[in-house]
Amino acid sequence: MNLANPSEHTHFGMSVTVVIPGRPWFHLISSVEEADRFLFENWGSYDSEQWMEAMDQCAKVTAGNANAEDVRTAFIAAMDNAGMETTSVTLLP
């Protein structure tokens, strides 16, 4: 991402944990970059409307037309649509 201050614009206010059915671990997603990577690496089929919306929101952040919370909302919708369990997590400094 080519933003002046990436951490200010790309980190979620509240992280998202994702549990993929059948796997004994979870993923902690805290930023636009992590969401983008997760969507590519853990998706069997890149054709759902929700997946496309989440990827579109990631691209819009890069262009300055969306914020991290827009990505977070779209990411959670894509996870829900795919049957993946999500929870919100506040990380303490």
Side-chain angles (χ1 to χ4, degrees):
M1 304 235 152
N2 295 323
L3 299 171
N5 187 351
S7 64
E8 180 180 319
H9 301 287
T10 66
H11 280 84
F12 296 164
M14 189 175 284
S15 297
V16 178
T17 58
V18 179
V19 177
I20 300 174
R23 294 191 186 168
W25 61 84
F26 65 91
H27 298 268
L28 182 64
I29 308 299
S30 301
S31 69
V32 171
E33 296 86 357
E34 291 171 0
D36 185 65
R37 188 175 321 115
F38 183 90
L39 288 164
F40 271 116
E41 293 176 358
N42 296 283
W43 219 263
S45 175
Y46 305 123
D47 61 358
S48 78
E49 182 179 324
Q50 292 80 6
W51 181 86
M52 291 171 57
E53 176 62 21
M55 292 304 298
D56 186 50
Q57 290 300 320
C58 289
K60 285 181 178 179
V61 168
T62 303
N65 298 322
N67 61 51
E69 291 310 305
D70 295 330
V71 172
R72 184 179 180 280
T73 299
F75 180 80
I76 291 170
M79 297 301 103
D80 290 345
N81 183 66
M84 296 182 196
E85 181 182 337
T86 61
T87 56
S88 295
V89 178
T90 301
L91 299 176
L92 301 174

